[in-house]
Every structure is written in C-alpha cells, then in structure tokens.
C-alpha cells in the first residue's frame, strides 16, 4: 500500500463512453497531480492541484477534465477519447513545492481506448 | 526549457556485474534531483533525493551521486530483483515545483 490509491486498475472504454478515474491519498499531502505515461516517452504532467486549486494545465485536450473536491481526492473525467489516449494514468501527491521525497505515486490506471 | 535525459535507454547486466546509469539535466534553479524505481504495472517508487553537487546517497546496492550537470545511479553487484525501470526527475525552480522526468533506463539483470 503506497498511501495513494487509484481505481480502477484497468479500464477499457469506447470512444463515445464517459468514464472517471479516481485517486485518493492518505498522506496528509496538499498537492495532487495527474501524469500520463506512454511507451518510449517520459511521464507527462497533465494537471496540478495545489491546496485544492488547479494551478497548472499543460495544454491537455478538453476531453480530459480534472476535479479535486478536497485535498485527499482527485478525479479525472474522460469523454470522447481517442485511441492515442491509451496509456497508464498515474496520480501522485506531495506537499506543496514538492517535498523532500518528491511525489508519492499510485499504481496507476491502465486505460485502453477502443 | 527544462530537460532531463537518461542513458542508456536499456541495460542488460549479468548478476554481479556492476554498472552505472546516467541522468543529465538542464533546469533553471534546481531544487532537487530524484531517482525512482518503477516495476511493470506499478507507479514509480521513491529511491533518493539529491540537492547539491557532490552529494551522495546509498541504499543497499544502489548509490546516487550528483554534479552540476548530471547524476549517476551506480549499481554494485546487482541481483535479478534489481530489474526495473529507473527514472530520474528534477524539481524545477518554479513556485509550484513540478517534477520533470526523463524517459528512464530499463535495467535487466540475468542470473
């Protein structure tokens, strides 16, 4: 148990579906992040929430919509995705500013878009 | 633009054969360099944080070092269970402090 829990672990969805990824942290952190991990690419930062406010959106398509209702929970709402969106989606948390250990990651959601 | 480059992309070692992984970086105002280990199907797991040139950290068979331009992860007498992808990341100098990752080095250790 890493302290950051992501559900579901695996998700297969059609291009017209709407689904949500969930992330929960039990570490008392006050910043949360969504990353996308694709083969042969570095982890791509998608969204940053600091003290429950979105502070960064790295030009992510609008078919990805984050939500952070409180400092312990983070969602990623998905709709009308494309096959190239298939990837491992990682949630992470930290103290604001990164902390001494950087980020703590969840195990990820493996998303397949068909 | 902040960048992190890791080499080699993949490394195959025999058990007991020591080697090093490289992470070179360009970042304005380094606030920390991090090494993570990632096993297949899992999220990255924290290994080390380094803050200033000359700093070294050790954990079992792993030792991380830092210069002004790069970091090395030395693996001494590796075992098959050390097989994983090793990720390097830098904390940029912005007020938010975002982690910028390299592509990783996939290490395979054969018995």
């Amino acid at each position: 148990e890493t302290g950051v829990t992501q559900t579901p672990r695996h998700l297969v969805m059609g291009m017209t579906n709407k689904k949500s990824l969930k992330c929960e942290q039990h570490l008392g952190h006050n910043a949360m992040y969504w990353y996308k991990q694709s083969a042969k690419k570095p982890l791509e930062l998608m969204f940053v929430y600091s003290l429950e406010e979105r502070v960064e959106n790295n030009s992510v398509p609008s078919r990805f919509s984050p939500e952070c209702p409180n400092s312990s929970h983070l969602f990623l709402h998905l709709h009308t995705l494309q096959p190239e969106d298939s990837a491992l989606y990682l949630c992470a948390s930290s103290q604001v500013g990164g902390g001494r250990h950087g980020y703590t990651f969840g195990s990820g959601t493996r998303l397949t878009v068909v | 633009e902040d960048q992190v480059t890791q080499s080699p992309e993949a490394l195959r070692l025999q058990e007991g054969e020591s080697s090093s992984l490289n992470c070179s970086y360009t970042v304005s105002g380094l606030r920390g360099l991090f090494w993570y280990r990632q096993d297949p199907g899992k999220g990255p797991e924290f290994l080390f944080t380094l803050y200033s040139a000359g700093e070294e950290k050790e954990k079992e068979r792993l030792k991380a070092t830092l210069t002004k331009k790069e970091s090395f992860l030395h693996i001494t007498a590796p075992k098959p269970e050390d097989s994983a992808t090793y990720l390097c990341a830098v904390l940029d100098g912005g007020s938010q402090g975002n982690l910028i990752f390299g592509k990783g080095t996939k290490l395979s250790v054969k018995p």
Side-chain angles (χ1 to χ4, degrees), chain A residues 22-68:
Chain A
K22 179 182 177 182
C23 175
E24 184 173 1
Q25 61 99 357
H26 309 277
L27 300 169
H29 290 162
N30 49 21
M32 297 188 79
Y33 313 84
W34 280 116
Y35 277 88
K36 176 182 178 181
Q37 188 173 34
S38 305
K40 306 292 185 183
K41 290 185 177 182
L43 272 74
E44 301 172 56
L45 180 62
M46 299 176 71
F47 298 104
V48 178
Y49 276 85
S50 178
L51 301 173
E52 301 168 36
E53 288 191 14
R54 189 161 77 188
V55 297
E56 192 153 336
N57 171 353
N58 285 346
S59 303
V60 177
S62 59
R63 57 187 182 268
F64 295 92
S65 175
E67 179 188 2
C68 186

Side-chain angles (χ1 to χ4, degrees), chain B residues 2 26-30 91-94:
Chain B
D2 299 339
T26 55
V27 63
S28 54
L30 179 70
L91 198 59
D92 69 22

Side-chain angles (χ1 to χ4, degrees), chain B:
Chain B
E1 181 181 335
D2 299 339
Q3 285 192 332
V4 179
T5 304
Q6 290 188 246
S7 62
E9 186 174 319
L11 180 63
R12 294 186 178 188
L13 299 174
Q14 288 296 126
E15 184 172 2
E17 179 187 2
S18 302
S19 189
S20 297
L21 313 182
N22 176 264
C23 171
S24 62
Y25 62 91
T26 55
V27 63
S28 54
L30 179 70
R31 291 170 50 189
L33 184 140
F34 300 82
W35 282 99
Y36 287 85
R37 169 189 171 130
Q38 186 174 23
D39 293 297
K42 295 189 176 182
E45 177 185 343
F46 171 79
L47 292 174
F48 303 109
T49 309
L50 301 165
Y51 289 104
S52 56
E55 189 175 359
E56 298 182 352
K57 293 276 180 73
E58 284 190 69
K59 179 180 179 180
E60 296 181 355
R61 295 176 292 281
L62 300 177
K63 180 171 136 180
T65 62
L66 182 65
T67 72
K68 288 185 179 179
K69 299 281 189 182
E70 57 191 350
S71 176
F72 293 93
L73 184 65
H74 307 279
I75 304 177
T76 302
K79 297 182 178 181
E81 53 262 42
D82 295 321
S83 298
T85 296
Y86 291 85
L87 300 171
C88 173
V90 296
L91 198 59
D92 69 22
S95 59
Q96 174 55 32
N98 294 326
L99 271 185
I100 302 167
F101 282 86
K103 293 183 181 180
T105 293
K106 184 175 182 180
L107 174 66
S108 299
V109 182
K110 302 299 182 186

Side-chain angles (χ1 to χ4, degrees), chain A residues 12-113:
Chain A
V12 179
M13 59 185 290
M15 288 190 282
T16 59
N17 291 158
K18 289 185 180 181
K19 295 287 184 183
S20 296
L21 310 184
K22 179 182 177 182
C23 175
E24 184 173 1
Q25 61 99 357
H26 309 277
L27 300 169
H29 290 162
N30 49 21
M32 297 188 79
Y33 313 84
W34 280 116
Y35 277 88
K36 176 182 178 181
Q37 188 173 34
S38 305
K40 306 292 185 183
K41 290 185 177 182
L43 272 74
E44 301 172 56
L45 180 62
M46 299 176 71
F47 298 104
V48 178
Y49 276 85
S50 178
L51 301 173
E52 301 168 36
E53 288 191 14
R54 189 161 77 188
V55 297
E56 192 153 336
N57 171 353
N58 285 346
S59 303
V60 177
S62 59
R63 57 187 182 268
F64 295 92
S65 175
E67 179 188 2
C68 186
N70 55 61
S71 60
S72 298
H73 294 85
L74 185 66
F75 295 89
L76 187 63
H77 303 299
L78 316 171
H79 64 97
T80 56
L81 294 189
Q82 304 298 312
E84 60 264 29
D85 297 322
S86 298
L88 182 67
Y89 288 84
L90 291 162
C91 172
S93 69
S94 76
Q95 295 298 334
V96 170
R100 292 190 60 83
H101 294 159
Y103 302 172
T104 301
F105 286 85
S107 294
T109 295
R110 172 66 64 184
L111 173 67
T112 304
V113 181

